Amino acid sequence: MVKELSDTTKLSGAFLDNFFSNISNKLSAVATMCDVPDGSGNENWWPVVEEHNTENYRMGVADAAGQLYYGPGRSIDISDTSYFEQTMSGNRSISDVQKGNFRGGDS
């Protein structure tokens, strides 16, 4: 029983490592081909963002000033968040799930 639990834990860990690695690789590919966000709505990455935006999930692209664009005419300033600051320092960052307005409250 203990060995089976240990094996299951190892498999779950490997699955999660692979899952997050795949997401990271996809995001890196999108970032490589992205136009710099300018708020026009004409940037080449909008189809990717729209494909991934659902009722329960949003994807966005931020500019160097910390303005995150995540939908037509929708953006939010994330410049003061730890995940943005870490990313701008050259580190990858995974944050807690951002609910509603990206600040922990529902919008």
Side-chain angles (χ1 to χ4, degrees):
M1 174 80 165
V2 172
K3 181 177 178 350
E4 290 172 0
L5 184 57
S6 177
D7 290 346
T8 300
T9 301
K10 287 178 185 175
L11 285 173
S12 297
F15 171 80
L16 288 174
D17 284 345
N18 188 45
F19 177 77
F20 286 115
S21 177
N22 287 339
I23 289 173
S24 179
N25 289 338
K26 184 173 187 174
L27 293 175
S28 292
V30 170
T32 299
M33 67 84 164
C34 274
D35 290 338
V36 174
D38 61 16
S40 70
N42 297 318
E43 299 93 345
N44 66 347
W45 43 262
W46 276 111
V48 176
V49 169
E50 290 170 352
E51 174 186 337
H52 290 87
N53 285 351
T54 68
E55 182 178 330
N56 298 314
Y57 176 83
R58 288 190 194 139
M59 179 179 173
V61 176
D63 62 21
Q67 196 66 28
L68 176 72
Y69 300 91
Y70 62 93
R74 300 184 84 177
S75 67
I76 189 169
D77 182 359
I78 61 166
S79 62
D80 64 344
T81 63
S82 62
Y83 53 87
F84 179 76
E85 291 169 0
Q86 288 176 12
T87 300
M88 293 305 290
S89 295
N91 300 308
R92 291 186 183 211
S93 175
I94 297 176
S95 71
D96 292 335
V97 173
Q98 305 298 306
K99 294 173 64 178
N101 64 5
F102 298 98
R103 305 283 184 206
D106 292 330
S107 59

PDB file of all heavy atoms in Angstrom, residues 45-61 68-72 74 102:
ATOM      1  N   TRP A  45      -0.679  38.779 -31.830  1.00  0.00           N
ATOM      2  CA  TRP A  45      -0.925  37.750 -30.832  1.00  0.00           C
ATOM      3  C   TRP A  45      -2.385  37.676 -30.391  1.00  0.00           C
ATOM      4  O   TRP A  45      -2.756  36.783 -29.638  1.00  0.00           O
ATOM      5  CB  TRP A  45      -0.017  37.958 -29.615  1.00  0.00           C
ATOM      6  CG  TRP A  45       0.103  39.376 -29.166  1.00  0.00           C
ATOM      7  CD1 TRP A  45       1.120  40.237 -29.472  1.00  0.00           C
ATOM      8  CD2 TRP A  45      -0.801  40.116 -28.337  1.00  0.00           C
ATOM      9  NE1 TRP A  45       0.901  41.458 -28.893  1.00  0.00           N
ATOM     10  CE2 TRP A  45      -0.273  41.411 -28.187  1.00  0.00           C
ATOM     11  CE3 TRP A  45      -2.014  39.807 -27.718  1.00  0.00           C
ATOM     12  CZ2 TRP A  45      -0.906  42.402 -27.439  1.00  0.00           C
ATOM     13  CZ3 TRP A  45      -2.640  40.793 -26.968  1.00  0.00           C
ATOM     14  CH2 TRP A  45      -2.090  42.065 -26.840  1.00  0.00           C
ATOM     15  N   TRP A  46      -3.231  38.592 -30.846  1.00  0.00           N
ATOM     16  CA  TRP A  46      -4.633  38.562 -30.401  1.00  0.00           C
ATOM     17  C   TRP A  46      -5.348  37.239 -30.691  1.00  0.00           C
ATOM     18  O   TRP A  46      -6.105  36.765 -29.840  1.00  0.00           O
ATOM     19  CB  TRP A  46      -5.421  39.743 -30.982  1.00  0.00           C
ATOM     20  CG  TRP A  46      -5.245  40.972 -30.160  1.00  0.00           C
ATOM     21  CD1 TRP A  46      -4.571  42.100 -30.515  1.00  0.00           C
ATOM     22  CD2 TRP A  46      -5.691  41.189 -28.821  1.00  0.00           C
ATOM     23  NE1 TRP A  46      -4.592  43.009 -29.479  1.00  0.00           N
ATOM     24  CE2 TRP A  46      -5.276  42.472 -28.430  1.00  0.00           C
ATOM     25  CE3 TRP A  46      -6.404  40.425 -27.908  1.00  0.00           C
ATOM     26  CZ2 TRP A  46      -5.546  43.014 -27.180  1.00  0.00           C
ATOM     27  CZ3 TRP A  46      -6.679  40.964 -26.659  1.00  0.00           C
ATOM     28  CH2 TRP A  46      -6.255  42.239 -26.306  1.00  0.00           C
ATOM     29  N   PRO A  47      -5.147  36.616 -31.846  1.00  0.00           N
ATOM     30  CA  PRO A  47      -5.834  35.326 -32.066  1.00  0.00           C
ATOM     31  C   PRO A  47      -5.476  34.275 -31.013  1.00  0.00           C
ATOM     32  O   PRO A  47      -6.335  33.490 -30.590  1.00  0.00           O
ATOM     33  CB  PRO A  47      -5.362  34.894 -33.461  1.00  0.00           C
ATOM     34  CG  PRO A  47      -5.030  36.188 -34.153  1.00  0.00           C
ATOM     35  CD  PRO A  47      -4.454  37.069 -33.071  1.00  0.00           C
ATOM     36  N   VAL A  48      -4.226  34.262 -30.549  1.00  0.00           N
ATOM     37  CA  VAL A  48      -3.818  33.305 -29.517  1.00  0.00           C
ATOM     38  C   VAL A  48      -4.508  33.633 -28.201  1.00  0.00           C
ATOM     39  O   VAL A  48      -5.027  32.745 -27.514  1.00  0.00           O
ATOM     40  CB  VAL A  48      -2.279  33.301 -29.340  1.00  0.00           C
ATOM     41  CG1 VAL A  48      -1.868  32.387 -28.203  1.00  0.00           C
ATOM     42  CG2 VAL A  48      -1.589  32.898 -30.637  1.00  0.00           C
ATOM     43  N   VAL A  49      -4.551  34.915 -27.847  1.00  0.00           N
ATOM     44  CA  VAL A  49      -5.208  35.334 -26.609  1.00  0.00           C
ATOM     45  C   VAL A  49      -6.694  34.981 -26.663  1.00  0.00           C
ATOM     46  O   VAL A  49      -7.243  34.396 -25.724  1.00  0.00           O
ATOM     47  CB  VAL A  49      -5.005  36.846 -26.361  1.00  0.00           C
ATOM     48  CG1 VAL A  49      -5.896  37.358 -25.244  1.00  0.00           C
ATOM     49  CG2 VAL A  49      -3.540  37.125 -26.043  1.00  0.00           C
ATOM     50  N   GLU A  50      -7.357  35.310 -27.764  1.00  0.00           N
ATOM     51  CA  GLU A  50      -8.789  35.046 -27.891  1.00  0.00           C
ATOM     52  C   GLU A  50      -9.092  33.551 -27.852  1.00  0.00           C
ATOM     53  O   GLU A  50     -10.104  33.128 -27.294  1.00  0.00           O
ATOM     54  CB  GLU A  50      -9.319  35.681 -29.166  1.00  0.00           C
ATOM     55  CG  GLU A  50      -9.349  37.196 -29.086  1.00  0.00           C
ATOM     56  CD  GLU A  50      -9.636  37.871 -30.420  1.00  0.00           C
ATOM     57  OE1 GLU A  50      -9.677  37.179 -31.456  1.00  0.00           O
ATOM     58  OE2 GLU A  50      -9.804  39.103 -30.412  1.00  0.00           O
ATOM     59  N   GLU A  51      -8.207  32.746 -28.430  1.00  0.00           N
ATOM     60  CA  GLU A  51      -8.390  31.291 -28.426  1.00  0.00           C
ATOM     61  C   GLU A  51      -8.387  30.737 -27.008  1.00  0.00           C
ATOM     62  O   GLU A  51      -9.081  29.770 -26.713  1.00  0.00           O
ATOM     63  CB  GLU A  51      -7.277  30.637 -29.244  1.00  0.00           C
ATOM     64  CG  GLU A  51      -7.267  29.130 -29.211  1.00  0.00           C
ATOM     65  CD  GLU A  51      -6.044  28.551 -29.914  1.00  0.00           C
ATOM     66  OE1 GLU A  51      -5.454  29.230 -30.772  1.00  0.00           O
ATOM     67  OE2 GLU A  51      -5.685  27.411 -29.586  1.00  0.00           O
ATOM     68  N   HIS A  52      -7.618  31.348 -26.134  1.00  0.00           N
ATOM     69  CA  HIS A  52      -7.467  30.826 -24.781  1.00  0.00           C
ATOM     70  C   HIS A  52      -8.349  31.518 -23.746  1.00  0.00           C
ATOM     71  O   HIS A  52      -8.371  31.108 -22.596  1.00  0.00           O
ATOM     72  CB  HIS A  52      -5.998  30.906 -24.351  1.00  0.00           C
ATOM     73  CG  HIS A  52      -5.147  29.930 -25.085  1.00  0.00           C
ATOM     74  ND1 HIS A  52      -4.571  30.218 -26.294  1.00  0.00           N
ATOM     75  CD2 HIS A  52      -4.819  28.666 -24.799  1.00  0.00           C
ATOM     76  CE1 HIS A  52      -3.906  29.165 -26.717  1.00  0.00           C
ATOM     77  NE2 HIS A  52      -4.033  28.203 -25.831  1.00  0.00           N
ATOM     78  N   ASN A  53      -9.045  32.562 -24.120  1.00  0.00           N
ATOM     79  CA  ASN A  53      -9.916  33.242 -23.169  1.00  0.00           C
ATOM     80  C   ASN A  53     -11.272  32.557 -23.119  1.00  0.00           C
ATOM     81  O   ASN A  53     -11.948  32.426 -24.129  1.00  0.00           O
ATOM     82  CB  ASN A  53     -10.073  34.715 -23.531  1.00  0.00           C
ATOM     83  CG  ASN A  53      -8.849  35.521 -23.177  1.00  0.00           C
ATOM     84  OD1 ASN A  53      -7.939  35.031 -22.510  1.00  0.00           O
ATOM     85  ND2 ASN A  53      -8.804  36.749 -23.621  1.00  0.00           N
ATOM     86  N   THR A  54     -11.622  32.113 -21.935  1.00  0.00           N
ATOM     87  CA  THR A  54     -12.912  31.479 -21.704  1.00  0.00           C
ATOM     88  C   THR A  54     -13.548  32.141 -20.491  1.00  0.00           C
ATOM     89  O   THR A  54     -12.991  33.077 -19.912  1.00  0.00           O
ATOM     90  CB  THR A  54     -12.745  29.970 -21.426  1.00  0.00           C
ATOM     91  OG1 THR A  54     -12.081  29.795 -20.162  1.00  0.00           O
ATOM     92  CG2 THR A  54     -11.964  29.275 -22.521  1.00  0.00           C
ATOM     93  N   GLU A  55     -14.673  31.635 -20.080  1.00  0.00           N
ATOM     94  CA  GLU A  55     -15.337  32.172 -18.892  1.00  0.00           C
ATOM     95  C   GLU A  55     -14.474  32.019 -17.643  1.00  0.00           C
ATOM     96  O   GLU A  55     -14.513  32.838 -16.738  1.00  0.00           O
ATOM     97  CB  GLU A  55     -16.671  31.448 -18.686  1.00  0.00           C
ATOM     98  CG  GLU A  55     -17.467  31.964 -17.520  1.00  0.00           C
ATOM     99  CD  GLU A  55     -18.799  31.253 -17.384  1.00  0.00           C
ATOM    100  OE1 GLU A  55     -19.367  30.817 -18.389  1.00  0.00           O
ATOM    101  OE2 GLU A  55     -19.266  31.126 -16.229  1.00  0.00           O
ATOM    102  N   ASN A  56     -13.674  30.955 -17.588  1.00  0.00           N
ATOM    103  CA  ASN A  56     -12.897  30.653 -16.386  1.00  0.00           C
ATOM    104  C   ASN A  56     -11.391  30.861 -16.529  1.00  0.00           C
ATOM    105  O   ASN A  56     -10.643  30.563 -15.617  1.00  0.00           O
ATOM    106  CB  ASN A  56     -13.153  29.207 -15.967  1.00  0.00           C
ATOM    107  CG  ASN A  56     -14.594  28.979 -15.618  1.00  0.00           C
ATOM    108  OD1 ASN A  56     -15.204  29.760 -14.903  1.00  0.00           O
ATOM    109  ND2 ASN A  56     -15.160  27.908 -16.144  1.00  0.00           N
ATOM    110  N   TYR A  57     -10.943  31.341 -17.669  1.00  0.00           N
ATOM    111  CA  TYR A  57      -9.504  31.432 -17.916  1.00  0.00           C
ATOM    112  C   TYR A  57      -9.233  32.603 -18.848  1.00  0.00           C
ATOM    113  O   TYR A  57      -9.961  32.788 -19.828  1.00  0.00           O
ATOM    114  CB  TYR A  57      -9.028  30.122 -18.562  1.00  0.00           C
ATOM    115  CG  TYR A  57      -7.593  30.087 -18.971  1.00  0.00           C
ATOM    116  CD1 TYR A  57      -6.591  29.787 -18.063  1.00  0.00           C
ATOM    117  CD2 TYR A  57      -7.217  30.337 -20.283  1.00  0.00           C
ATOM    118  CE1 TYR A  57      -5.260  29.737 -18.442  1.00  0.00           C
ATOM    119  CE2 TYR A  57      -5.883  30.295 -20.675  1.00  0.00           C
ATOM    120  CZ  TYR A  57      -4.922  29.994 -19.748  1.00  0.00           C
ATOM    121  OH  TYR A  57      -3.603  29.956 -20.129  1.00  0.00           O
ATOM    122  N   ARG A  58      -8.223  33.366 -18.545  1.00  0.00           N
ATOM    123  CA  ARG A  58      -7.818  34.463 -19.421  1.00  0.00           C
ATOM    124  C   ARG A  58      -6.322  34.402 -19.647  1.00  0.00           C
ATOM    125  O   ARG A  58      -5.560  34.081 -18.758  1.00  0.00           O
ATOM    126  CB  ARG A  58      -8.130  35.815 -18.792  1.00  0.00           C
ATOM    127  CG  ARG A  58      -9.569  36.145 -18.757  1.00  0.00           C
ATOM    128  CD  ARG A  58      -9.750  37.587 -18.336  1.00  0.00           C
ATOM    129  NE  ARG A  58     -11.124  37.793 -17.986  1.00  0.00           N
ATOM    130  CZ  ARG A  58     -11.532  38.503 -16.953  1.00  0.00           C
ATOM    131  NH1 ARG A  58     -10.655  39.091 -16.180  1.00  0.00           N
ATOM    132  NH2 ARG A  58     -12.798  38.653 -16.706  1.00  0.00           N
ATOM    133  N   MET A  59      -5.959  34.767 -20.846  1.00  0.00           N
ATOM    134  CA  MET A  59      -4.553  34.904 -21.192  1.00  0.00           C
ATOM    135  C   MET A  59      -4.368  36.330 -21.674  1.00  0.00           C
ATOM    136  O   MET A  59      -5.266  36.898 -22.297  1.00  0.00           O
ATOM    137  CB  MET A  59      -4.193  33.920 -22.302  1.00  0.00           C
ATOM    138  CG  MET A  59      -2.779  33.990 -22.756  1.00  0.00           C
ATOM    139  SD  MET A  59      -2.518  32.749 -24.047  1.00  0.00           S
ATOM    140  CE  MET A  59      -0.880  33.176 -24.549  1.00  0.00           C
ATOM    141  N   GLY A  60      -3.241  36.918 -21.375  1.00  0.00           N
ATOM    142  CA  GLY A  60      -2.980  38.269 -21.826  1.00  0.00           C
ATOM    143  C   GLY A  60      -1.515  38.460 -22.126  1.00  0.00           C
ATOM    144  O   GLY A  60      -0.685  37.591 -21.853  1.00  0.00           O
ATOM    145  N   VAL A  61      -1.197  39.611 -22.688  1.00  0.00           N
ATOM    146  CA  VAL A  61       0.174  39.974 -23.005  1.00  0.00           C
ATOM    147  C   VAL A  61       0.432  41.340 -22.383  1.00  0.00           C
ATOM    148  O   VAL A  61      -0.365  42.269 -22.556  1.00  0.00           O
ATOM    149  CB  VAL A  61       0.404  40.014 -24.531  1.00  0.00           C
ATOM    150  CG1 VAL A  61       1.799  40.495 -24.865  1.00  0.00           C
ATOM    151  CG2 VAL A  61       0.152  38.638 -25.142  1.00  0.00           C
ATOM    152  N   LEU A  68      -1.284  44.994 -18.917  1.00  0.00           N
ATOM    153  CA  LEU A  68      -1.653  43.668 -19.418  1.00  0.00           C
ATOM    154  C   LEU A  68      -2.910  43.788 -20.259  1.00  0.00           C
ATOM    155  O   LEU A  68      -3.945  44.257 -19.789  1.00  0.00           O
ATOM    156  CB  LEU A  68      -1.909  42.701 -18.259  1.00  0.00           C
ATOM    157  CG  LEU A  68      -2.392  41.306 -18.647  1.00  0.00           C
ATOM    158  CD1 LEU A  68      -1.264  40.508 -19.287  1.00  0.00           C
ATOM    159  CD2 LEU A  68      -2.939  40.570 -17.437  1.00  0.00           C
ATOM    160  N   TYR A  69      -2.824  43.362 -21.516  1.00  0.00           N
ATOM    161  CA  TYR A  69      -3.951  43.373 -22.447  1.00  0.00           C
ATOM    162  C   TYR A  69      -4.517  41.962 -22.514  1.00  0.00           C
ATOM    163  O   TYR A  69      -3.802  41.020 -22.824  1.00  0.00           O
ATOM    164  CB  TYR A  69      -3.482  43.838 -23.828  1.00  0.00           C
ATOM    165  CG  TYR A  69      -2.888  45.227 -23.794  1.00  0.00           C
ATOM    166  CD1 TYR A  69      -1.523  45.404 -23.588  1.00  0.00           C
ATOM    167  CD2 TYR A  69      -3.699  46.339 -23.930  1.00  0.00           C
ATOM    168  CE1 TYR A  69      -0.977  46.676 -23.527  1.00  0.00           C
ATOM    169  CE2 TYR A  69      -3.156  47.621 -23.871  1.00  0.00           C
ATOM    170  CZ  TYR A  69      -1.798  47.776 -23.664  1.00  0.00           C
ATOM    171  OH  TYR A  69      -1.260  49.036 -23.604  1.00  0.00           O
ATOM    172  N   TYR A  70      -5.809  41.814 -22.229  1.00  0.00           N
ATOM    173  CA  TYR A  70      -6.391  40.477 -22.165  1.00  0.00           C
ATOM    174  C   TYR A  70      -7.723  40.338 -22.874  1.00  0.00           C
ATOM    175  O   TYR A  70      -8.342  39.274 -22.833  1.00  0.00           O
ATOM    176  CB  TYR A  70      -6.534  40.024 -20.707  1.00  0.00           C
ATOM    177  CG  TYR A  70      -7.445  40.894 -19.865  1.00  0.00           C
ATOM    178  CD1 TYR A  70      -8.794  40.578 -19.737  1.00  0.00           C
ATOM    179  CD2 TYR A  70      -6.962  42.003 -19.198  1.00  0.00           C
ATOM    180  CE1 TYR A  70      -9.631  41.363 -18.970  1.00  0.00           C
ATOM    181  CE2 TYR A  70      -7.788  42.789 -18.429  1.00  0.00           C
ATOM    182  CZ  TYR A  70      -9.131  42.459 -18.313  1.00  0.00           C
ATOM    183  OH  TYR A  70      -9.954  43.232 -17.548  1.00  0.00           O
ATOM    184  N   GLY A  71      -8.172  41.325 -23.538  1.00  0.00           N
ATOM    185  CA  GLY A  71      -9.416  41.254 -24.294  1.00  0.00           C
ATOM    186  C   GLY A  71      -9.608  42.541 -25.062  1.00  0.00           C
ATOM    187  O   GLY A  71      -8.953  43.548 -24.768  1.00  0.00           O
ATOM    188  N   PRO A  72     -10.494  42.549 -26.046  1.00  0.00           N
ATOM    189  CA  PRO A  72     -10.717  43.765 -26.829  1.00  0.00           C
ATOM    190  C   PRO A  72     -11.073  44.944 -25.916  1.00  0.00           C
ATOM    191  O   PRO A  72     -12.059  44.906 -25.185  1.00  0.00           O
ATOM    192  CB  PRO A  72     -11.894  43.396 -27.735  1.00  0.00           C
ATOM    193  CG  PRO A  72     -11.854  41.896 -27.815  1.00  0.00           C
ATOM    194  CD  PRO A  72     -11.335  41.446 -26.471  1.00  0.00           C
ATOM    195  N   ARG A  74      -9.704  45.727 -23.223  1.00  0.00           N
ATOM    196  CA  ARG A  74      -9.563  45.386 -21.808  1.00  0.00           C
ATOM    197  C   ARG A  74      -8.097  45.264 -21.445  1.00  0.00           C
ATOM    198  O   ARG A  74      -7.345  44.527 -22.065  1.00  0.00           O
ATOM    199  CB  ARG A  74     -10.286  44.073 -21.514  1.00  0.00           C
ATOM    200  CG  ARG A  74     -11.777  44.177 -21.850  1.00  0.00           C
ATOM    201  CD  ARG A  74     -12.501  42.963 -21.477  1.00  0.00           C
ATOM    202  NE  ARG A  74     -12.826  43.118 -20.060  1.00  0.00           N
ATOM    203  CZ  ARG A  74     -13.540  42.246 -19.374  1.00  0.00           C
ATOM    204  NH1 ARG A  74     -13.975  41.156 -19.954  1.00  0.00           N
ATOM    205  NH2 ARG A  74     -13.815  42.449 -18.116  1.00  0.00           N
ATOM    206  N   PHE A 102      -7.936  40.377 -11.290  1.00  0.00           N
ATOM    207  CA  PHE A 102      -6.517  40.046 -11.177  1.00  0.00           C
ATOM    208  C   PHE A 102      -5.920  40.461  -9.848  1.00  0.00           C
ATOM    209  O   PHE A 102      -4.745  40.377  -9.657  1.00  0.00           O
ATOM    210  CB  PHE A 102      -5.686  40.658 -12.316  1.00  0.00           C
ATOM    211  CG  PHE A 102      -6.056  40.176 -13.670  1.00  0.00           C
ATOM    212  CD1 PHE A 102      -6.895  40.922 -14.475  1.00  0.00           C
ATOM    213  CD2 PHE A 102      -5.580  38.979 -14.153  1.00  0.00           C
ATOM    214  CE1 PHE A 102      -7.239  40.484 -15.737  1.00  0.00           C
ATOM    215  CE2 PHE A 102      -5.922  38.542 -15.416  1.00  0.00           C
ATOM    216  CZ  PHE A 102      -6.754  39.298 -16.207  1.00  0.00           C
TER     217      PHE A 102
END
